[in-house]
């Protein structure tokens, strides 16, 4: 079967990006990553891509007048690579209709909470603050409403009394690294165009 062409966007450490790469290499995900876009040239995601020989483009948000201009550049880069789906794997910028409309039902985000709880920034901190005893992560389709698009899959983790931000983040991320590649594989038939 033709590999799914996945474009990835990341801003930070890139552990979810690497989880996708590992799943591809292990044969659990029938896909290629023709392009990673980062908005910070020194981020961990960039270093991981270099290690795996995956092409990277740096699109620094500080060089654009507004969010739409940044998203226009993203659309043009991903369209040039004819990607089937774009994954926001820790992309810490709000995206606009420019990106959403260019990839309808084909823009996917991973978020570190059980949506619809704790949308927006620092979802792990929000969960700790709220005192919930279960949190987790969500893979969902991106729409114009922040962290509110259709849910594709979720995984739950316990929140323990002794949890710190770091310990809960680590537990959530462990689940993200399983959930994101598995969800891409499960939904590949919706996106594959070749
Ligand atoms: C992940 O935990 C992801 O859920 C979160 O950023 C982290 C990126 O980690 N995304 C958001 O909070 C989006 N609102 P990574 O760079 O190691 O993959």
């Amino acid at each position: 079967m033709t590999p799914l062409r996945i474009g990835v966007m990341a801003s930070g450490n890139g552990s979810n990006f690497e989880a996708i790469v590992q799943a591809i290499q292990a044969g659990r995900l029938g896909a290629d990553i023709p392009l990673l876009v980062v908005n910070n040239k020194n981020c961990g995601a960039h270093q991981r891509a270099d290690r795996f020989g995956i092409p990277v483009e740096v699109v620094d948000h500080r060089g654009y007048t507004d969010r739409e201009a940044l998203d226009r550049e993203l659309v043009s880069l991903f369209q040039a690579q004819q990607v089937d789906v774009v994954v926001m794997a820790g992309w810490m910028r709000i995206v606009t209709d420019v990106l959403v409309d260019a990839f309808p039902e084909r823009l996917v985000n991973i978020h570190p909470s059980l949506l619809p709880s704790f949308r927006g920034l620092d979802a792990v901190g929000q969960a700790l603050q709220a005192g919930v005893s279960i949190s987790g992560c969500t893979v969902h389709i991106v729409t114009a409403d922040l962290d509110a698009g259709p849910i594709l899959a979720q995984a739950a983790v316990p929140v323990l009394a002794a949890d710190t931000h770091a310990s809960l983040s680590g537990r959530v991320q462990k689940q993200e690294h399983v959930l994101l590649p598995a969800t891409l594989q499960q939904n590949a038939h919706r996106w594959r165009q070749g």
Side-chain angles (χ1 to χ4, degrees), residues 10-18 44-45 48 88-93 109-113 118-124 136-138 140 146-147 169 172-173 176-177 180:
S11 299
N13 181 24
S15 67
N16 279 285
F17 162 69
E18 177 156 346
R48 292 177 199 254
M88 295 165 53
W91 180 256
M92 304 311 265
R93 313 287 311 166
N109 183 42
I110 175 110
H111 184 79
S113 75
F118 314 131
R119 294 159 57 180
L121 281 179
D122 192 18
V124 169
C137 50
T138 302
H140 68 97
L146 181 68
D147 297 330
S169 274
V172 169
Q173 285 219 333
E176 290 186 339
H177 300 161
L180 180 56

Side-chain angles (χ1 to χ4, degrees), residues 20-185:
I20 299 171
V21 177
Q22 301 278 11
I24 293 170
Q25 293 188 343
R28 284 181 277 115
L29 173 58
D32 285 333
I33 303 178
L35 182 64
L36 168 72
V37 174
V38 300
N39 62 326
N40 166 10
K41 75 172 161 43
N42 296 318
C43 68
H46 194 326
Q47 289 161 17
R48 292 177 199 254
D50 289 345
R51 183 150 47 82
F52 289 109
I54 291 174
V56 190
E57 290 275 356
V58 180
V59 178
D60 188 335
H61 53 277
R62 287 159 291 208
Y64 294 82
T65 46
D66 53 34
R67 294 185 197 279
E68 284 78 9
L70 174 79
D71 284 359
R72 272 194 294 278
E73 178 65 10
L74 295 170
V75 169
S76 130
L77 288 168
F78 286 128
Q79 283 181 343
Q81 292 303 323
Q82 299 183 302
V83 302
D84 298 316
V85 60
V86 176
V87 177
M88 295 165 53
W91 180 256
M92 304 311 265
R93 313 287 311 166
I94 289 176
V95 299
T96 70
D97 284 350
V98 170
L99 189 66
V100 173
D101 293 347
F103 297 100
E105 313 279 321
R106 292 171 181 274
L107 183 60
V108 171
N109 183 42
I110 175 110
H111 184 79
S113 75
L114 291 177
L115 291 171
S117 293
F118 314 131
R119 294 159 57 180
L121 281 179
D122 192 18
V124 169
Q126 291 185 55
L128 284 171
Q129 183 71 32
V132 293
S133 57
I134 296 174
S135 192
C137 50
T138 302
V139 179
H140 68 97
I141 299 284
V142 178
T143 60
D145 291 336
L146 181 68
D147 297 330
I151 291 171
L152 295 177
Q154 295 185 302
V157 303
V159 182
L160 307 179
D163 263 336
T164 60
H165 196 285
S167 65
L168 181 55
S169 274
R171 195 175 307 118
V172 169
Q173 285 219 333
K174 229 173 142 183
Q175 290 304 314
E176 290 186 339
H177 300 161
V178 177
L179 188 71
L180 180 56
T183 306
L184 294 172
Q185 176 64 15

